[in-house]
Every structure is written in structure tokens, then in C-alpha cells.
């Protein structure tokens, strides 16, 4: 049900822009809404790269204002998971929340790498700590946020001059100061941050398990993509392929 999408691109975006195109494979080629690629651009007042997560959103305030949405869903581009955002939005509405943060339990010894939330019995967030040295909870923010639009707009404008303006460091603490209603939506499925080459490689290797933890093959939850028109793969007569995912356009003569 998400039909208006902005994709914020910065470094070497050509491949990504080509992949997204006008959004046809995802049914996002629409006259109103659809998908819009949002790179940094030169403005009459000042021009800068995106310097932080919230700064990137702030620089596209005009894009959001043109739709005047009720809610804004903010996602990172380097995470792998499947989540029904409609359920998270229902949770946000039921709790009359101003901000909902998706969170999941992590091993306590790794908790200092994340923004950590502390909640009461109703899942309302009572404290938020960005990468604490001594975490008091293992419920980690996934960097997935739903904001009620007026709350997001106000926070971005108030915090716009913070250097490297960031959600975890600036926007979420500001919302606390304003006594907004913040809730944690707990997620317990597969989730992986692939912001490093090592974690990206690990995520690929996990896909070749006999029953992968992250299942690409569910009938009821298909993953759609822009499929390049490549020739079929060629596997030579004496080639050996085991426990691999082989894509189109590949020629194999040896052992994989």
C-alpha cells in the first residue's frame, strides 16, 4: 500500500538510478506519487551533500510538503529484511503515537553498536540511548521510523543547523524533549545490516543454505526486482556446481 516513494541517493548513484528507472517493476510508475530519485542538488541559498540521515530528509522537505502526508515512513537502504509496514502503521495509529521506532532484541554484548530503547509495559519508549557504552536494554532501534508528518516537519526544521543532523543523535532526543509520544514496534524476523563488505558477503552466503533463514522463495511474499535482459546461464558439461545461486549471464567451466 506504499505508493509514494522517494529514494535518496548520494555516492555513485548511476547503477541504482538505472535499476529504479521510473519504477515499472514495482508498479510505481504513476502520474501522482510513484517513485522519485532524490539526489542532493544545488540550491540558491546553499548547496551540500547529505551530511546525516535527518539532514538528507530535511533537504527534501519540499518533496514531502508537496504531498502533505499524514505519515512518513523512513527506511535505511542497507538493511535486508521483510516487514509488513501496514502492521507497523496500524500499531502507530492505535497508540496515537507521534513517532514509532521499529526495534528488535540483539545480544546484549552487541547492544552498544545500536541506538537502544527502554520501554514500559505498553511499549511506550521511556528512554533512548544512542550507542551507549553500558546498555541497559537489548532492544535495538532498526533505523525504521514512522512519524506523524507535523512532528517530523517541526523536528527537522528545529534541528536543521545541527552538524551532520542525525535521527538517533538529534531528532529522536528532540522529540523526547518536546514530550512527544514515542513507541517501539518490536520485530522478531530476519534483519541484517549490510553496511560493510563482510556483512554483505555473509548475507549472500546465508541465502545458499538448504532452508535459508531469509527465504527468497515464499509464494505469498514475492520479492520483485528490475530484471536485466541477460542471456541464460551456461554450465559446461564437465563443470561442477554445488550449494550456489547462479544468476543469468554466467558461464561456468570449472568448479563452484
Amino acid at each position: 500500500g506504499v505508493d509514494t516513494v522517494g529514494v535518496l541517493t548520494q555516492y555513485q548513484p548511476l547503477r541504482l538510478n538505472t535499476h529504479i528507472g521510473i519504477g515499472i517493476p514495482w508498479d510505481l510508475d504513476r502520474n501522482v506519487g510513484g517513485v522519485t530519485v532524490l539526489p542532493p542538488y544545488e540550491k540558491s541559498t546553499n548547496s551540500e551533500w547529505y551530511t546525516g540521515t535527518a539532514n538528507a530528509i530535511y533537504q527534501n522537505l519540499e518533496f514531502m510538503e508537496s504531498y502533505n502526508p499524514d505519515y512518513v515512513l523512513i527506511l535505511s537502504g542497507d538493511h535486508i529484511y521483510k516487514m509488513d509496514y501496514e502492521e507497523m502503521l496500524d500499531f502507530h495509529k492505535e497508540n496515537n503515537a507521534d513517532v514509532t521506532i521499529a526495534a528488535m532484541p540483539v545480544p546484549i554484548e552487541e547492544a552498544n553498536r545500536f541506538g537502544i530503547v527502554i520501554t514500559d509495559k505498553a511499549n511506550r519508549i521511556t528512554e533512548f540511548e544512542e550507542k551507549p557504552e553500558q546498555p541497559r536494554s537489548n532492544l535495538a532501534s532498526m533505523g525504521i521510523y514512522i512519524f506523524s508528518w507535523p512532528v517530523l516537519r517541526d523536528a527537522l526544521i528545529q534541528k536543521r543547523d545541527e552538524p551532520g543532523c542525525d535521527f538517533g543523535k538529534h531528532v529522536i532526543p528532540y522529540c523526547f524533549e518536546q514530550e512527544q509520544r514515542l513507541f517501539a514496534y518490536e520485530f522478531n524476523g530476519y534483519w541484517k545490516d549490510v553496511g560493510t563488505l563482510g556483512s554483505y558477503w555473509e548475507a549472500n552466503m546465508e541465502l545458499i543454505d538448504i532452508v535459508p533463514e531469509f527465504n527468497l522463495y515464499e509464494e505469498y511474499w514475492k520479492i520483485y526486482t528490475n530484471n536485466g535482459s541477460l542471456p541464460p546461464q551456461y554450465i559446461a558439461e564437465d563443470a561442477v556446481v554445488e550449494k550456489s545461486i547462479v544468476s543469468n549471464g554466467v558461464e561456468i567451466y570449472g568448479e563452484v
Side-chain angles (χ1 to χ4, degrees):
V2 180
D3 57 18
T4 304
V5 178
V7 182
L8 286 70
T9 61
Q10 182 144 283
Y11 301 109
Q12 300 181 341
L14 183 61
R15 289 279 301 271
L16 181 60
N17 294 356
T18 306
H19 178 76
I20 294 166
I22 59 170
I24 292 171
W26 304 274
D27 191 27
L28 287 171
D29 53 325
R30 294 162 182 255
N31 292 330
V32 178
V35 66
T36 307
V37 175
L38 299 166
Y41 62 95
E42 204 162 306
K43 305 167 186 69
S44 55
T45 47
N46 69 322
S47 175
E48 60 176 13
W49 287 97
Y50 297 143
T51 59
T53 53
N55 172 266
I57 304 291
Y58 170 72
Q59 287 198 46
N60 290 286
L61 211 57
E62 204 175 295
F63 169 76
M64 292 182 289
E65 282 182 327
S66 68
Y67 292 102
N68 191 27
D70 293 323
Y71 308 101
V72 179
L73 170 66
I74 295 170
L75 313 168
S76 298
D78 55 3
H79 297 166
I80 297 174
Y81 60 97
K82 293 178 186 176
M83 181 190 284
D84 186 344
Y85 300 125
E86 193 168 28
E87 288 183 12
M88 183 176 170
L89 181 59
D90 288 344
F91 174 88
H92 181 86
K93 292 175 182 174
E94 283 161 16
N95 287 291
N96 195 26
D98 296 306
V99 186
T100 298
I101 302 174
M104 71 181 295
V106 297
I108 194 73
E109 60 273 13
E110 290 180 27
N112 59 4
R113 293 174 40 222
F114 300 92
I116 293 298
V117 298
I118 296 168
T119 61
D120 63 16
K121 287 179 182 173
N123 290 322
R124 185 165 180 175
I125 299 172
T126 54
E127 289 181 64
F128 181 88
E129 302 173 313
E130 181 66 11
K131 299 182 180 174
E133 283 185 25
Q134 300 293 327
R136 289 179 293 134
S137 156
N138 71 332
L139 200 56
S141 164
M142 297 168 67
I144 298 168
Y145 309 102
I146 292 178
F147 282 85
S148 295
W149 168 234
V151 172
L152 176 63
R153 187 178 182 282
D154 171 65
L156 292 175
I157 290 169
Q158 294 299 326
K159 290 290 164 184
R160 65 185 181 275
D161 295 327
E162 293 282 356
C165 189
D166 181 85
F167 278 100
K169 290 178 189 162
H170 305 110
V171 170
I172 301 299
Y174 172 79
C175 291
F176 261 115
E177 287 164 23
Q178 300 303 302
E179 298 185 351
Q180 306 286 10
R181 292 172 59 80
L182 284 82
F183 283 80
Y185 173 77
E186 195 167 327
F187 179 75
N188 286 295
Y190 178 95
W191 177 79
K192 201 169 191 88
D193 182 326
V194 289
T196 64
L197 276 176
S199 59
Y200 181 70
W201 180 81
E202 279 173 18
N204 275 279
M205 290 299 100
E206 286 168 1
L207 291 177
I208 60 176
D209 289 341
I210 300 299
V211 181
E213 195 181 343
F214 182 71
N215 190 348
L216 291 174
Y217 310 107
E218 287 172 319
E219 269 299 306
Y220 62 92
W221 194 319
K222 293 178 181 175
I223 296 178
Y224 293 89
T225 186
N226 186 354
N227 199 6
S229 50
L230 294 167
Q233 67 270 78
Y234 173 74
I235 300 175
E237 200 173 338
D238 54 353
V240 178
V241 181
E242 286 182 33
K243 207 180 175 193
S244 305
I245 295 175
V246 180
S247 70
N248 291 351
V250 170
E251 296 180 24
I252 301 175
Y253 299 95
E255 190 172 324
V256 182

